[in-house]
Amino acid sequence: MSKPVEIEEAAFNEAVLQAKTPVLVDFWAPWCGPCRMVAPVVEELAEDYDGRVSFVKVNVDDSPRIATQYDVMSIPTLIVFKDGQPVDTIIGFRPKDELKKILETAL
Amino acid sequence: MAKSPKNYDIVIIGGGPAGLSAGIYTSRARLSSLLVEKAALGGQIINARSVENYPGFAEGIGGIDLTQSMHRQAGKFGLETLTAEVTGIEINGERKLVKTSKGDFSAKAVIITGGSERQKLGIPGEAEFTGRGVSYCATCDGAFFRDKPVAVVGGGNAAITEALELTKFASKITVIHRRDELRATRILQEKAFAEPGIEILWDTVVDEILGENSVNQIKVRNVKTGQESFLDVSGVFMAVGFKPNTDYLRGILALDAIGAIVATGRMETSVPGIFAAGDIRSNSIRQVIAAAGDGAIAAVNAEKYITG
């Protein structure tokens, strides 16, 4: 059982950029309706890809500098990182199957 | 050999307030019902921070809270839901075959509540900068434009609502409208005119969106004088109308000039046994209460159609 981990700015480097596996970062905020629709899908993916992909949540209100650094100007945005680099950006809600395809490409 | 499609009494296409309300009624009427939604249940209203005009919620209710409650309510009566995109409908006599990205489903009656989506302008830079300065939802993205200048394109209720929402964040809001008066309701117009942070550029259209990593400028043109100019903005919020999600229905159902489904007061379409409800219906007022009402009417009439 694996769950997405909520992180703050200070932890981003280690949790995302230095990670050995691909990382899916879910940029969200509590006031964003569609983000609340994305969250359960990301939780399911975290279980499906346990050990192969790690899942991180970044609250854009608490960590605005990370959002700015990766040009996040719309949420929900999911960014897939591999070897410290963003390899795919998904803006807005997407069904689980579509997200799976994107993760399979990154693996 | 092709798998035979699963049978239902009712297939509902679309999971917004119209579809969920229809689902509450059909499943409570003990009709086996499947609701197919291509994205997230809840529809466009999940973007609304607070719904202030849905009766029964005097203090307002979050769009997502309202629709999640509708979903729970429908689920209690046995509504099944599936995430899939509908690609077509085939009419085989009494039964209708709903074709989806996850297989085909056969139904005695179909209720179409697929709603609409924001119209795109189709100008250079729009697609390129979507999510990087071009937005179709101020509630979702407004906070990324704190202390930055933005433009809102349009002059209807959606445009003025977006502009007012953006006053919480943006340093300046320029509403760009192609006519010399707004179509938005009086109460919204009054609020907009009273807001010092909002300026309206009349008789003006946007020809191009420019930027590098994200938007930094738009090219605008006065339609009366032909005068072109540039406006420095970090964000462009598009609110130029809505497009019904009916592409797969062309040639199957009667549609109006903007592609919305023509339906009677009983929500009957031009094909017996196919009903339409909510924003996808011709002359919809695009309100949650109307969508919910349409959904209930469609459900009751679909039940009558099935039971004869």
Side-chain angles (χ1 to χ4, degrees), chain A residues 27 31-38 40 60-61 67-68 71-77 91 93-98, chain B residues 38-42 46-47 49 64-65 68 83 102 130-133 139-141 143-145 148 213-214 234:
Chain A
F27 290 90
W31 43 262
C32 156
C35 296
R36 283 170 60 187
M37 311 301 295
V38 168
V60 296
D61 288 344
T68 309
D71 287 328
V72 174
M73 299 175 88
S74 175
I75 50 174
T77 285
I91 299 167
F93 181 93
R94 299 288 174 80
K96 188 179 171 187
D97 294 344
E98 222 173 295
Chain B
K38 68 176 171 185
L41 281 174
I46 65 172
N47 293 324
R49 211 174 289 216
I64 189 161
D65 299 307
Q68 283 186 338
T83 306
K102 289 196 185 145
T130 293
R132 291 186 298 134
T139 332
C140 317
D141 304 336
F144 295 102
F145 299 90
K148 291 177 178 164
N213 285 327
S214 59
S234 301

Side-chain angles (χ1 to χ4, degrees), chain B residues 57-74:
Chain B
F57 296 93
E59 319 310 325
I61 179 169
I64 189 161
D65 299 307
L66 181 60
T67 53
Q68 283 186 338
S69 176
M70 288 180 183
H71 181 210
R72 280 199 304 279
Q73 196 174 356

Side-chain angles (χ1 to χ4, degrees), chain B residues 53-171:
Chain B
N53 52 10
Y54 195 83
F57 296 93
E59 319 310 325
I61 179 169
I64 189 161
D65 299 307
L66 181 60
T67 53
Q68 283 186 338
S69 176
M70 288 180 183
H71 181 210
R72 280 199 304 279
Q73 196 174 356
K76 224 169 57 179
F77 297 120
L79 177 71
E80 287 178 46
T81 57
L82 173 75
T83 306
E85 183 155 13
V86 174
T87 52
I89 299 179
E90 263 178 37
I91 298 142
N92 305 322
E94 294 284 283
R95 294 202 77 93
K96 284 94 196 157
L97 191 67
V98 177
K99 310 181 92 152
T100 84
S101 55
K102 289 196 185 145
D104 300 347
F105 300 91
S106 173
K108 293 175 185 165
V110 176
I111 302 174
I112 304 173
T113 71
S116 57
E117 58 184 28
R118 281 286 173 88
Q119 182 76 48
K120 304 207 163 40
L121 267 185
I123 55 173
E126 184 180 13
E128 186 189 346
F129 290 114
T130 293
R132 291 186 298 134
V134 174
S135 170
Y136 299 85
C137 176
T139 332
C140 317
D141 304 336
F144 295 102
F145 299 90
R146 202 175 292 278
D147 304 323
K148 291 177 178 164
V150 299
V152 175
V153 188
N157 286 337
I160 302 308
T161 306
E162 300 264 274
L164 290 167
E165 169 77 20
L166 287 164
T167 58
K168 291 185 209 154
F169 308 105
S171 56

